[in-house]
Amino acid sequence: MLDRRPSHDDLVDHLMRSTSLQRGEAARVVLDVLAYFDETTETFVRRRHRELQSGGSVNAEIFERIAAELPHRAVAPPELSLRQLRRIVYG
């Protein structure tokens, strides 16, 4: 039977060596990070809006903060206006 190891074995192995994570935990961390960076701009905007709103922020603050965060994403999207951000969240 073939060994079904994650496709990012080298990274999982590195995490296991450099932390106290077990193989399953390290593989889950790798998959979580990959999913985070695979997130579309629209999904990121909606997620951050929900997170910030649940933390008590108001929309004016939320959209300013999201606009400031977007250029720092791993693959930064084109600059979006506050109006474009609102349309992503509210349609």
Side-chain angles (χ1 to χ4, degrees), residues 10-34:
D10 56 335
L11 183 53
V12 171
D13 291 341
H14 172 74
L15 286 173
M16 290 174 57
R17 283 189 308 271
S18 63
T19 68
S20 62
L21 296 175
Q22 299 298 312
R23 176 161 292 284
E25 295 167 322
R28 190 172 58 247
V29 167
V30 168
L31 293 176
D32 285 349
V33 169
L34 291 174

Side-chain angles (χ1 to χ4, degrees), residues 40-64:
T40 66
T41 299
E42 290 80 8
T43 302
F44 171 78
V45 170
R46 289 182 188 112
R47 177 178 60 78
R48 285 299 288 147
H49 181 269
R50 280 191 311 273
E51 291 170 353
L52 294 168
Q53 195 172 49
S54 70
S57 296
V58 295
N59 278 342
E61 297 167 353
I62 290 171
F63 291 117
E64 289 284 342

